Amino acid sequence: MDRSPVLPITAILISLAITIASFTVLYYQQSEQHKSRARLRLNNHAQQLVETFDRHFSDLNLMLQNSGSVEQLCTEQDWHYSDSMLARPEIVGVQVLDAHGYLRCDNGKLLSPAPHVGKPDPRFGLRFVGPRLINHYDRPVLMLARTRTDGSAIQVILHPGWLRNRMRQLTSSLGFVALIDSDSGVPVLDIGAYSLPQQHDLFPLNHARSTESQFDNNRHQYLYALPLLTQPSLSLIISEESVLLNQPLTVFTTQRIFLAALCFMVALFLTLKIQRSLSDPARQLRAGMRQQQFINLYQPLVRSEDFSLAGVEVLMRWQHPDGMRSPDTFIPAAEATGLIREMTLQQLKRITDELASILATQPSFRVNVNICPPIINDPDTVDSIIRYKKQIPGLVLEITENQMLEECEVTAQSLQRFRDAGIHIAIDDFGTGYCGLSYLSQLPLSILKADRCFVAAMGTDAVNAHLLETIQQLAKKLNLSTVAEGVEEASQALKLQAMGIEIQQGWYHGRPMSPEQIYARWLDSQQQLSSNPALAACYG
Ligand code: G
Ligand code: G
Ligand code: MN
């Protein structure tokens, strides 16, 4: 049977393919996770920084709200207010403006005369100003300011270094962090190379946004931006080079190698198991039976005296998708698995279908079917075969001599039951077995089919040249009829005729053929009979 596909090399290749595929999927998933984690980490940095700024700004807001009047703040007694403000690390200056726009004191120092710097913004609430150039400061400053109910305002100047320090080292040198104007995206304070996506609709920014694309600087970057809660006109924006975020994982880690090895072993185990079950002979035979791939061929059995068609030997073939298979390739497995029983019953059913018209018109038409010990030793199958006697009146069962070796009580009983049912038994390949001859007289047999080697030896000077005659004499003594197999030449056919052998079989008389061919052959022989009434009377 088909044991060839069970080459472990295919199983290994399949398992290897499965392992590589799983490994790739796993690696791809882990890299994707790795990438999204890198982005999340950046987002978290930004959120934490915004929280820090918000915490400080909301403290300042409270302090600006809960301060005294301009007069109180700018008298020497209350300078401790400025001192407490200036003690905070994020503040470098505190300025008090009166409602008319005069700067009344700066860092707790009364200014006299007070310079006019412009009326405070009439809107309440914390506001952010800057970067702006102010007297005494040699560079633009960032301010938080609040206008109070009396129209006066307090401005605190933020320590740019304090802000910058917090924003430092959150990205690589290729990325940047910036405080920007939420409406326009113009940076107020930035660390790194500030740039924006080439096409974007980020501004005005009123909620957290992220995007990844080609930036104005022609680099591919990831960006995350979110407004401050305490000061929504300001947003924090953080950006990093995509290549750095997408840095590939190490391909072979101990964990992944271990998983791959495990996967390979499981895949190999399963593939071998599946292969084994697919190439299981019983499974293949059953599939063949289900798909009706087993067919009958019929080889003519002819009468010696006139070579007219006396019947057929039914020979099975397997029309496998890979090509026609001869019985030697599958009968042994069918016997070993016991499937031969079902196959033989199906074969008998096919005979009744294919030879229906012959069987109906010529009940004496011989139909030789090969059987084997698993059939003989199973009483149910014996029953089933016996039931076919009605539809196939000329049924003859062939069993090889060697199979008689396994002769036992059951065999004898089964053969007797066949005999009682009128089914004749032929000994196939007679003369080649290793058993004695005693069974010939003990078992209910009808026919000896002399092995084809005896026909082949006839007329030669081989030692067995005359054994066929001996077999014929033996058969006569035992009241058995003789069939000669393997007749390949006219000279052999004529010799057998002269010897008085009843039935001949062989390529000379016809090869195993299809039901249609055997039917045509039978029609021919019927016509010959009808043109010869004397013969017809004999064979009717
Ligand atoms: O047809 P071929 O010469 O390939 O047959 C080879 C052998 O297979 C023969 O000895 C024949 O007895 C056996 N064989 C053929 N058909 C059947 C069958 O239907 N059942 C059994 N049991 N043996 C068969
Ligand atoms: O063992 P059994 O008699 O069942 O075998 C029959 C087989 O012998 C057939 O399947 C057929 O293929 C083969 N056979 C039939 N006639 C001839 C013949 O004339 N010569 C040879 N060599 N084989 C034959
Ligand atoms: Mn046979």
Side-chain angles (χ1 to χ4, degrees):
M1 291 283 297
D2 257 14
R3 278 273 170 197
S4 49
V6 200
L7 283 178
I9 187 80
T10 36
I12 290 174
L13 288 180
I14 291 172
S15 313
L16 214 56
I18 292 174
T19 308
I20 292 172
S22 320
F23 188 91
T24 313
V25 170
L26 180 75
Y27 178 75
Y28 177 77
Q29 269 188 348
Q30 290 187 345
S31 325
E32 287 304 304
Q33 273 175 11
H34 176 71
K35 284 181 202 168
S36 70
R37 269 203 298 268
R39 282 161 185 68
L40 264 180
R41 212 174 305 124
L42 212 63
N43 296 1
N44 281 339
H45 283 325
Q47 280 159 4
Q48 279 166 12
L49 194 55
V50 164
E51 271 170 31
T52 308
F53 288 164
D54 274 335
R55 207 171 43 247
H56 282 266
F57 291 178
S58 94
D59 283 356
L60 289 180
N61 191 27
L62 267 178
M63 291 175 86
L64 296 184
Q65 235 176 331
N66 301 334
S67 52
S69 66
V70 174
E71 311 311 327
Q72 282 169 342
L73 289 176
C74 293
T75 54
E76 284 186 40
Q77 292 89 334
D78 218 359
W79 285 349
H80 74 268
Y81 174 75
S82 303
D83 289 344
S84 68
M85 290 287 254
L86 288 168
R88 295 185 64 93
E90 69 270 34
I91 294 178
V92 288
V94 182
Q95 300 180 331
V96 181
L97 266 74
D98 67 16
H100 306 291
Y102 290 96
L103 179 59
R104 297 282 294 277
C105 56
D106 186 3
N107 288 352
K109 280 198 196 72
L110 199 62
L111 299 178
S112 179
H116 191 263
V117 294
K119 274 181 103 163
D121 192 313
R123 281 171 298 178
F124 293 113
L126 190 70
R127 67 176 179 275
F128 177 80
V129 188
R132 178 192 267 188
L133 270 173
I134 294 189
N135 293 346
H136 336 297
Y137 291 94
D138 50 2
R139 53 186 159 144
V141 297
L142 304 174
M143 288 192 309
L144 284 175
R146 199 181 159 101
T147 303
R148 284 103 53 87
T149 39
D150 62 359
S152 67
I154 305 185
Q155 305 184 150
V156 292
I157 295 166
L158 294 170
H159 192 328
W162 182 86
L163 287 167
R164 295 184 85 85
N165 280 341
R166 306 250 125 21
M167 289 158 61
R168 234 184 272 279
Q169 280 165 359
L170 295 182
T171 67
S172 74
S173 58
L174 294 172
F176 68 83
V177 185
L179 262 180
I180 56 163
D181 181 280
S182 299
D183 288 332
S184 61
V186 172
V188 174
L189 195 67
D190 54 348
I191 303 239
Y194 182 75
S195 178
L196 285 173
Q198 285 176 357
Q199 269 124 28
H200 68 83
D201 58 347
L202 289 169
F203 308 111
L205 188 83
N206 37 35
H207 60 271
R209 300 273 301 268
S210 66
T211 170
E212 185 160 17
S213 63
Q214 201 72 15
F215 275 41
D216 291 332
N217 57 10
N218 271 331
R219 286 217 174 93
H220 202 271
Q221 292 190 196
Y222 170 77
L223 169 152
Y224 181 71
L226 78 167
L228 268 61
L229 271 179
T230 49
Q231 196 48 54
S233 69
L234 277 185
S235 290
L236 189 87
I237 185 165
I238 191 162
S239 174
E240 182 60 292
E241 179 102 328
S242 296
V243 181
L244 290 175
L245 291 177
N246 298 345
Q247 258 175 350
L249 291 177
T250 324
V251 179
F252 297 106
T253 60
T254 323
Q255 186 210 20
R256 259 179 252 134
I257 290 173
F258 176 76
L259 279 177
L262 195 70
C263 172
F264 177 76
M265 284 189 295
V266 171
L268 188 64
F269 174 77
L270 292 178
T271 321
L272 281 175
K273 230 177 142 70
I274 291 169
Q275 271 194 344
R276 212 161 287 151
S277 93
L278 281 180
S279 63
D280 172 37
R283 192 193 156 97
Q284 288 187 30
L285 286 171
R286 259 186 234 110
M289 283 160 70
R290 239 191 344 268
Q291 291 160 33
Q292 315 223 321
Q293 289 170 351
F294 294 98
I295 58 160
N296 292 351
L297 291 189
Y298 300 93
Q299 186 175 30
L301 297 168
V302 301
R303 298 177 187 93
S304 262
E305 60 256 50
D306 58 356
F307 302 157
S308 62
L309 188 67
V312 287
E313 176 175 356
V314 187
L315 296 159
M316 214 186 294
R317 293 285 183 276
W318 187 355
Q319 264 183 330
H320 196 274
D322 298 344
M324 189 72 92
R325 293 185 179 179
S326 80
D328 310 318
T329 64
F330 63 87
I331 293 285
E335 286 187 25
T337 55
L339 285 170
I340 189 69
R341 290 191 282 267
E342 183 62 31
M343 288 167 74
T344 303
L345 294 178
Q346 287 188 359
Q347 181 185 49
L348 286 162
K349 172 79 179 71
R350 285 194 297 273
I351 295 171
T352 59
D353 293 341
E354 292 168 352
L355 303 186
S357 45
I358 303 181
L359 297 174
T361 33
Q362 191 189 340
S364 65
F365 191 80
R366 278 201 202 193
V367 179
N368 284 23
V369 169
N370 292 283
I371 59 165
C372 52
I375 291 174
I376 308 170
N377 298 333
D378 179 48
D380 288 343
T381 314
V382 169
D383 282 344
S384 306
I385 293 177
I386 288 175
R387 276 196 287 278
Y388 273 98
K389 167 73 179 168
K390 261 198 216 105
Q391 289 162 277
I392 314 172
L395 183 60
V396 174
L397 300 176
E398 293 189 14
I399 176 160
T400 67
E401 196 178 17
N402 273 333
Q403 288 170 336
M404 283 297 170
L405 271 178
E406 299 168 31
E407 183 200 346
C408 65
E409 198 67 16
V410 190
T411 311
Q413 277 174 15
S414 298
L415 296 187
Q416 190 56 52
R417 292 185 55 209
F418 285 132
R419 159 60 69 87
D420 294 345
I423 298 174
H424 294 290
I425 306 294
I427 298 300
D428 208 358
D429 304 338
F430 182 75
T432 55
Y434 297 100
C435 44
L437 293 174
S438 57
Y439 74 92
L440 288 180
S441 57
Q442 285 158 13
L443 294 175
L445 309 174
S446 308
I447 301 155
L448 290 188
K449 283 188 84 174
D451 190 77
R452 63 171 168 262
C453 68
F454 301 113
V455 171
M458 271 191 323
T460 66
D461 48 10
V463 279
N464 55 355
H466 298 286
L467 279 183
L468 194 60
E469 287 156 36
T470 317
I471 292 173
Q472 194 193 8
Q473 284 160 14
L474 175 70
K476 262 191 191 132
K477 289 228 168 72
L478 291 166
N479 207 16
L480 306 175
S481 70
T482 318
V483 175
E485 289 188 275
V487 182
E488 297 182 356
E489 292 161 15
S491 60
Q492 294 170 331
L494 292 172
K495 265 191 203 124
L496 294 168
Q497 189 178 50
M499 278 170 61
I501 296 272
E502 285 99 333
I503 300 286
Q504 303 188 14
Q505 177 184 357
W507 294 345
Y508 174 69
H509 298 296
R511 298 220 171 209
M513 54 184 82
S514 69
E516 294 75 26
Q517 287 169 314
I518 203 73
Y519 185 67
R521 176 78 178 259
W522 179 76
L523 279 183
D524 267 2
S525 72
Q526 290 305 98
Q527 269 160 16
Q528 274 166 24
L529 278 184
S530 58
S531 62
N532 188 339
L535 275 180
C538 284
Y539 302 133

